[in-house]
Amino acid sequence: MSDTKYEVLSPLMGTFYRASAPDNPPLVEAGQKIKASDVLCVIESMKIFTELRSEYSGVVKEILVENEDPVMKKQVLMIIEKQ
Amino acid sequence: MPFKRILIANRGEIALRIIRACKEMGIETVAVYSDADKDSLHVRYADDAVHIGPALSYKSYLNMDKIMAAAREANADAIHPGYGFLSENAAFAKACEDAGITFIGPSAECIARSGNKSSARKTLTGLGIPVIPGSEDILASPDRACDLAQTIGFPVILKASGGGGGRGMRIAHTPKELAEAFCLASGEAKAAFGNPDIYLEKYITNPRHIEIQILGDKSGNYIHLAERECSIQKRYQKLIEEAPSSFVDGDLRAELGNTAITIAKALGYTNAGTIEFLVDKDKNFYFMEVNARVQVEHPVTEMVTGIDIIRQQILIAAGNRLSLKQEDIVPRGWAMECRINASDPDDDFMPSPGKIESIVFPGGPGVRIDTHIHEGYMVGPFYDSLIGKLIVWDQDRPSAIRRMKRALDEFDIRGIQTTIPFFRKIFQNQAFQKGDIDTHFLDNM
C-alpha cells in the first residue's frame, strides 16, 4: 500500500454492516470525504457490535464488501485515500 | 404421551438439551437449522430437520414465518423455543396459538404482561411486592431528581430511558454529585441513544443476584424450586451460577419463594419461569424482572432438586397438572455452573470465533457438560458466544468448588480462546471460596 492509501481491516471474524442500525442509511459511501475518527462501518461478532473508525482524514476510495457479508479477521474492508 | 412431535426453534446446546428430554419421553423431534448449522449435532440428533435460511439470525432463527412453515411441513404439534431468539416473543407465541400448535411456555398474553416492565412494576407494587424504589417517569430537572433522591435516600442511580448496557448510567451519593451526574447522564444518554431522558432509582450497594425457579400448571398450581445465585457477572452477563446460595437461609428462601409464587399468580404465569431479585447485604430484596422461558442456568437447579425442568415444561404445556408438591422439593447438596464462552478473557472478553482443533472434556463423578461443540466444530461469529456449560454437583459448597477446579483443569479446548482459564482463577479466589460475592465481584477482582 502506498503512503497515500490506508486499508481498513476487520479486527475479527464477523458480519460487515454499512449502517449502525438496520433502518439507518450507510455510514459512508464511496467517494465521500471523511475525518479521522469518523465511524466507517460496524462488525458484528457473536452479538457484539464493534464500530470501526477511520485513523485518518481523507476520501473513501473503495468499499470492498457488501452489507451483511461475512468477513474474516484482517480482511480488507475499505480503502481510504489519506489527505 | 403429551405430544407426538416437538419442533425445537433454537440451536446449540439448548436445542440438544430439549432433544434429549424429548427422546427420554418418547417424543419425536424436529430440528430447524440455518446454513451455518447444517452439520450441527442438533440436526444430527433430531428425528427430522428443516432448513430455515441463511446464517444471519433475523433470516432464520428469528424468522417466525419460516419457523411456522417448518412446523406445519414437519407436522409438529408443539414448539419449544429454548432461550433467546423467539422465546419471549409474544407475537410468536400468538402465531403458535393461532396455528393450533402448542407453544411450550407461558401464553402470549402473559409473555406480553411479564415483558412490560413498567406495568408489571405497577401491578406488583399494588400487591405489596418490594420493587427498587424510584421513578420510571422522566425527570424534568436536577431539582426534581434531588427531591426524589431525598425521599428514597442516597445513593441513587440515574439511568437512560432509551437504552441499557451501562451507558447513561451515573451513581450519586450526595445532592451535589446528583446535580453534576444529572447533566452528564443526560448528555451521555443523548449521545448513545438519541434520547436525553433519564430516570432515577435507589442504588443498591453491592447486591446479590438471586433468582427463584418456578413451575406453574394450567390449573393454577404453583411450586418453586428454590433459588439460584448468579452474582458473578461481567457487563450484566452471568458467568457463574450456583444453587443453593450461600447467602440465603431457610427463612429468606421461604420468603423469596412465596414472593415469586405471588408474582407468578398475579401475572397468570404458566410453565417454567424465573423471578429475578436483587438482595442487599441486610437481606432486603427487590423484584427485578421475570424471565418467561427456560434459563441457561437451569441445570444447577436440576442437579440439586433432581427435577428435569425441560420435561416439566413439556408436561405442563400438554395440560398435565403438576405431580410435585412444594414439600416434595428438598434441594440436596451443591451445584455450580461455569458458562464456557468463545471469548478471550485476556482481551476484554472479545469474541473468539474459529475452529475447535481439539477438545478434551472433563468427566468423573458429579460432572455434567451441556454442549454442542466437538473436535472440528466451527464456532462461527453469527450467534451467541456460549459454547457450553460445565456443571458440577457435590455434597456441599467447598466440595463443589474442589470438584469444579478439578474439572476445569481437565477441560482442554484448542483452536479458540475460551473463558476456562478465567474460571480457574476465580475458583482460586479466596473471597469467592468464602461465598463473599456480589454483582460487582469481577469489577473488584
Side-chain angles (χ1 to χ4, degrees), chain B residues 75-239:
Chain B
N75 265 318
D77 48 7
I79 294 182
H80 196 305
Y83 53 67
F85 293 126
L86 296 170
S87 60
E88 290 179 273
N89 186 312
F92 181 61
K94 180 75 168 56
C96 293
E97 286 164 17
D98 291 348
I101 295 171
T102 306
F103 177 81
I104 301 176
S107 67
E109 210 185 315
C110 177
I111 293 174
R113 215 178 293 140
S114 310
N116 184 332
K117 280 197 189 178
S118 65
S119 87
R121 195 183 151 100
K122 277 189 191 115
T123 310
L124 299 178
T125 312
L127 290 170
I129 307 285
V131 298
I132 297 174
S135 114
E136 288 205 350
D137 298 330
I138 310 311
L139 296 164
S141 68
D143 286 347
R144 175 76 194 88
C146 209
D147 290 347
L148 184 61
Q150 301 281 17
T151 317
I152 63 177
F154 283 95
V156 293
I157 183 165
L158 295 164
K159 293 185 177 180
S161 297
R167 288 196 286 187
M169 281 196 205
R170 293 273 162 171
I171 298 156
H173 296 84
T174 62
K176 186 168 174 290
E177 271 182 29
L178 181 59
E180 289 164 12
F182 188 92
C183 299
L184 287 170
S186 185
E188 232 171 73
K190 186 162 174 18
F193 313 112
N195 174 358
D197 293 344
I198 49 177
Y199 64 95
L200 176 150
E201 268 177 7
K202 185 167 179 62
Y203 181 67
I204 315 293
T205 311
N206 297 336
R208 289 174 176 246
H209 174 118
I210 292 172
E211 57 188 34
I212 301 285
Q213 174 74 55
I214 60 120
L215 296 174
D217 67 22
K218 292 180 181 177
S219 312
N221 302 302
Y222 291 89
I223 56 169
H224 70 83
L225 306 185
E227 81 281 4
R228 291 185 286 261
E229 170 150 16
C230 317
S231 295
I232 304 295
Q233 308 182 354
K234 189 100 197 169
R235 293 188 206 109
Y236 305 99
Q237 299 285 317
K238 297 166 187 168
L239 284 169

Side-chain angles (χ1 to χ4, degrees), chain B residues 297-362:
Chain B
E297 60 271 27
H298 76 277
V300 293
T301 299
E302 295 186 325
M303 300 295 270
V304 293
T305 60
I307 292 164
D308 182 328
I309 292 172
I310 305 288
R311 178 191 288 252
Q312 291 297 325
Q313 285 194 289
I314 294 169
L315 291 171
I316 290 167
N320 292 21
R321 282 165 174 266
L322 285 173
S323 60
L324 299 154
K325 296 201 163 48
Q326 192 61 55
E327 56 267 29
D328 300 332
I329 311 303
V330 185
R332 202 183 131 254
W334 212 280
M336 303 183 102
E337 175 182 275
C338 288
R339 294 195 189 189
I340 313 301
N341 294 335
S343 62
D344 186 354
D346 291 331
D347 185 17
D348 201 24
F349 294 88
M350 282 295 278
S352 177
K355 192 173 175 178
I356 308 289
E357 282 160 12
S358 74
I359 187 162
V360 179
F361 289 112

Side-chain angles (χ1 to χ4, degrees), chain B residues 242-288:
Chain B
E242 56 188 299
S245 160
S246 54
F247 191 65
V248 175
D249 55 24
D251 289 348
L252 183 56
R253 179 168 304 124
E255 209 180 336
L256 286 170
N258 292 335
T259 306
I261 288 176
T262 306
I263 291 169
K265 281 184 182 164
L267 295 168
Y269 198 96
T270 54
N271 214 289
T274 297
I275 318 292
E276 294 188 334
F277 297 96
L278 278 184
V279 184
D280 74 13
K281 60 183 189 321
D282 301 319
K283 301 201 165 151
N284 299 308
F285 61 84
Y286 305 96
F287 164 77
M288 252 194 314

Side-chain angles (χ1 to χ4, degrees), chain A residues 1-3 5 9 17-18 21 23 25 28-30 32 36 39 44 55 57 71 78:
Chain A
M1 221 27 16
S2 68
D3 287 352
K5 283 185 183 159
L9 306 181
Y17 294 106
R18 289 194 53 194
D23 299 328
V28 293
E29 297 284 359
Q32 188 178 325
V39 180
E44 178 194 0
E55 289 176 32
S57 297
V71 293
M78 295 185 190

